[in-house]
Amino acid sequence: MAKVGRPTSYKPEMCEQVFEMALLGLTDVQMARVLGVSEVTFNEYKKLPEFLKSLTQGKEDADAKVAKAMYKRALGLTITEDALTRDGDVVQLKKELPPDTAAAKHWLANRQRSLWANNGETTINSDKPIIITLTEKGDA
């Protein structure tokens, strides 16, 4: 019995393509456009084990690399750079990058949300009464 419906546009080489696109951080919608298929078709491809595995692995690998880089920046690190001397010799220079407080804050806000998230709320813990004085505009 013959199959009914439109033939699939899926090709096995799409697995490598989605893996690489996921590493680059493309969204599913962007990947679908690159592959020349609709988002619905792309979602159908995700039902194919080899396609889903490539897509998932690319996203996980990319996330892991970014997390590792952010972690290193949050703590500070030493890098080695090649530099040219006036004589034309190449020497290696070690450069200390200090901890990056923005990277640390971002890391902690995502990993320990209840302690570090900036949700606009301020909690004041005090065993003494708090006195709030309202002033009118211009009284400061």
Side-chain angles (χ1 to χ4, degrees), residues 15-26:
C15 291
E16 182 64 28
Q17 290 173 303
V18 296
F19 175 80
E20 291 174 7
M21 288 189 284
L23 282 177
L24 292 172
L26 273 68

Side-chain angles (χ1 to χ4, degrees), residues 104-123 125:
K105 171 82 170 104
H106 184 77
W107 180 271
L108 291 169
N110 285 292
R111 299 278 294 217
Q112 297 181 10
R113 190 170 308 276
S114 65
L115 297 173
W116 293 94
N118 184 7
N119 58 11
E121 295 178 11
T122 303
T123 303
N125 294 319

Side-chain angles (χ1 to χ4, degrees), residues 9-90:
S9 58
Y10 174 77
K11 296 176 186 77
E13 56 268 19
M14 288 179 171
C15 291
E16 182 64 28
Q17 290 173 303
V18 296
F19 175 80
E20 291 174 7
M21 288 189 284
L23 282 177
L24 292 172
L26 273 68
T27 65
D28 289 0
V29 172
Q30 292 168 324
M31 287 186 244
R33 282 192 202 128
V34 171
L35 295 175
V37 299
S38 69
E39 188 177 355
V40 171
T41 300
F42 188 85
N43 289 331
E44 284 296 314
Y45 291 169
K46 287 191 215 176
K47 294 177 182 175
L48 302 169
E50 66 277 6
F51 187 87
L52 182 60
K53 181 179 179 185
S54 294
L55 177 64
T56 303
Q57 189 66 48
K59 289 181 178 185
E60 288 174 355
D61 286 359
D63 291 348
K65 287 176 183 176
V66 171
K68 184 177 180 180
M70 180 170 284
Y71 177 75
K72 285 181 177 181
R73 281 300 290 133
L75 297 179
L77 66 147
T78 303
I79 61 171
T80 304
E81 294 179 334
D82 289 338
L84 261 171
T85 66
R86 291 182 186 177
D87 301 330
D89 296 326
V90 177

Side-chain angles (χ1 to χ4, degrees), residues 123-131:
T123 303
I124 301 172
N125 294 319
S126 175
D127 56 354
K128 297 182 174 44
I130 298 173
I131 300 170

